[in-house]
Amino acid sequence: PITTDPTMFNIAKGNGGSVSIAFSIIKSIVGCGILSLPWSTAIIGLIPCIILISISFLISFICWMYLVICSQHLRVYEYRDIGLKLYGMKFAAFLDIILVILSCLYCVLYAVYIGEFIANGLVEYGFNINTQLITHIPINSLMDLIQTKFFILTVMIFGVLFPLTLLPKLDSL
C-alpha cells in the first residue's frame, strides 16, 4: 500500500537531484572499495577481480537508476521516505536500522584502516610509534601514551569521524 499523507515525508526543497544522489552513493561505495580492493585482488586474482568489479558496477548502476527514477517520481529524496511511501512505516523503520548499522560498520572499518595506515606511515617516516596493543605497553608518561596506535586511533575517531556525524546534511562534502 502506497502512503499518500504528505506530512510524513521530508519533501526536498530543490537541493536534491540525480547528481546529488549519485555522488552520495558513490561516496559511500568508494571508501569500502579503496579499503578492500587490493586485498581481494591479491586473493582471487586480477581477471576474476575485473569480472566481479564489472558485474558489481552494472548491478550498482541499474539499482542507482531505479533509485533515481523512484525518488523523482515519488518526490522524496531520502531512503527512509522512499521506503515509507512505498512500503509503510515498518519498512521505513527497518531501513533506518539498516542505515545505522551500515554507518557503524563504516566507522569501524575507517577506524581500523586509519589506525593501521597512519601508525605504519608514521613509523616509515621515522616516528617512534608503538603498534602493539595498549594492554601490552608500559605507559609511564604522556609521551608514551601519545606514541601508541591507540592514541592515534582515538584522535582520528574524535577529531575526524565524530565531527562528520554531526553534520546535518552530507551534501556539503
Side-chain angles (χ1 to χ4, degrees):
I2 295 179
T3 305
T4 58
D5 183 9
T7 61
M8 298 180 73
F9 308 109
N10 295 328
I11 304 297
K13 295 178 176 52
N15 59 355
S18 301
V19 175
S20 177
I21 292 170
F23 279 113
S24 178
I25 292 172
I26 289 169
K27 283 189 290 186
S28 299
I29 294 171
V30 166
C32 286
I34 288 173
L35 299 178
S36 63
L37 190 59
W39 176 80
S40 61
T41 303
I43 297 296
I44 66 170
L46 185 61
I47 301 300
C49 187
I50 290 172
I51 292 169
L52 288 174
I53 287 173
S54 300
I55 292 170
S56 175
F57 171 76
L58 182 64
I59 291 170
S60 295
F61 183 75
I62 290 169
C63 290
W64 171 73
M65 290 301 294
Y66 279 122
L67 182 64
V68 169
I69 291 168
C70 183
S71 67
Q72 288 177 344
H73 177 71
L74 297 174
R75 297 190 199 290
V76 291
Y77 300 94
E78 295 181 13
Y79 293 118
R80 182 187 192 288
D81 293 339
I82 292 171
L84 182 64
K85 209 163 194 184
L86 290 177
Y87 299 109
M89 191 57 123
K90 287 183 182 179
F91 190 75
F94 172 73
L95 282 178
D96 285 341
I97 292 168
I98 293 298
L99 289 173
V100 166
I101 292 171
L102 186 63
S103 296
C104 289
L105 291 175
Y106 280 146
C107 285
V108 168
L109 181 66
Y110 283 127
V112 169
Y113 178 73
I114 287 170
E116 290 293 320
F117 180 75
I118 291 180
N120 293 338
L122 289 173
V123 168
E124 285 289 322
Y125 285 104
F127 289 92
N128 185 19
I129 303 295
N130 197 333
T131 58
Q132 294 177 331
L133 293 174
I134 190 79
T135 56
H136 297 107
I137 301 171
I139 297 177
N140 301 321
S141 68
L142 180 62
M143 203 58 187
D144 289 341
L145 178 64
I146 291 174
Q147 293 176 338
T148 62
K149 189 186 331 183
F150 174 77
F151 180 79
I152 293 169
L153 191 57
T154 303
V155 167
M156 295 310 286
I157 287 172
F158 289 106
V160 177
L161 292 177
F162 180 69
L164 287 175
T165 65
L166 301 175
L167 294 174
K169 295 177 71 177
L170 290 178
D171 286 350
S172 60
L173 294 177

